[in-house]
Amino acid sequence: MNFALGIDIGGTKISYALIDNNGFIKNDVQKVSTPKTAREIESMLKNIILKYENQIEFIAIATAGTVNNENDKVIGSTANLPIGYKDIDFLSLSEKKVFVENDANCAAWAEYKIGASINCKNSIMLTLGTGVGGGIIINGKLLKGKSGGAGEMHFLMSRNKSRRCTCGAWDCFEAYASGNGLRQTAVEICKDENITTYDIIERANNGDVDCQKSLEVWQNDIALGILGLANLFDPDCFVLSGSMEKFVDVEKIEKFVNSFVLTSPTKVYHAKAGNYSGMIGAVLLGNELI
Ligand SMILES: [Zn+2]
């Protein structure tokens, strides 16, 4: 069996494990806090790789941020990583081949190969967390666009200029469908500036009508975004992942989308590839592309 070293680089932690070419994790997943500077991240990656280098065929990195079409450089959207992260020369980290891809794209690929969208040649994955990540697979290929950054879920949901998005524009899908979007919706409905997503879920479960309404509005915004994506891409299915997806009723969203969709009906699934779908997807995608 051949192994690759899968590494997932996020704003708060770096996880890694040996993964075989079927996407199975060999050993326990190791986790370390993401260092505060790009230079420290680079030397940490070198040390991690050094430990495993003689056991692996290549290194597959799933990272926050946009990755170029050559899969060797981060080119943007790295707000949660230190300044200088984009300058890391990933290829120089090892004598072995190094493959890099955006974490949401990697997770979408893992779902397509071993998870909820298996055998769906056209699928869209949305990662609902603090923000919203996206990965689009068309005709069995990851949609990357001219620079590598396709699949960013920043498109207009409202003309009210009511929410500034993390990208700097107003009222993007992310500003409504993310965990932060849910919080903002609850601030407006519950008239509570300090409410947290945890409060919203807990209070809704305890019968608080305003918090229940906030969740309903948030879910409806997600459904509206998915409807637009369904009309644009005509996918076999959508896969929802991330820390917020467990609060979403996929059957309700699917029913709503299919009652308005202009193309044929689509499916909406919960993700199945697990917490490590980023590094698994990086290895599975790297297997095909390098
Ligand atoms: Zn935006």
Side-chain angles (χ1 to χ4, degrees), residues 154 165-169 172 174:
H154 295 262
C165 182
T166 54
C167 70
C172 289
E174 180 179 274

Side-chain angles (χ1 to χ4, degrees), residues 179-187 190 192 194-208 210-216 218 244 247:
N180 278 336
L182 168 63
R183 204 192 80 78
Q184 192 55 43
T185 298
V187 166
C190 305
D192 177 357
N194 300 316
I195 199 163
T196 65
T197 48
Y198 179 84
D199 296 333
I200 300 161
I201 305 298
E202 198 191 25
R203 290 180 201 170
N205 286 338
N206 290 329
D208 182 304
D210 284 346
C211 285
Q212 288 172 348
K213 176 79 182 162
S214 303
L215 278 167
E216 198 185 311
W218 171 67
M244 297 301 294
F247 306 116

Side-chain angles (χ1 to χ4, degrees), residues 5 38 51 55 63 98 149 154 173 184 242-243 260 272 277:
L5 175 61
K51 271 196 282 182
Q55 306 172 52
T63 176
V98 181
H154 295 262
F173 177 64
Q184 192 55 43
S243 59
F260 291 103
K272 268 171 51 178
S277 58

Side-chain angles (χ1 to χ4, degrees), residues 66-69 71 101-102 104-106 108-109 112 121-124 134-153 229 232-233 285 289:
T66 306
V67 176
N68 65 358
N69 277 321
N71 294 105
E101 183 51 274
N102 166 265
N105 281 346
C106 291
W109 195 258
Y112 169 49
K121 286 196 158 184
N122 296 281
S123 65
I124 298 178
I136 301 173
I137 293 166
I138 300 294
N139 296 328
K141 289 214 158 68
L142 188 64
L143 184 70
K144 286 283 284 173
K146 69 180 188 320
S147 60
E152 292 284 337
M153 294 298 159
L229 292 167
L232 277 169
F233 294 101
L285 194 56
L289 297 181

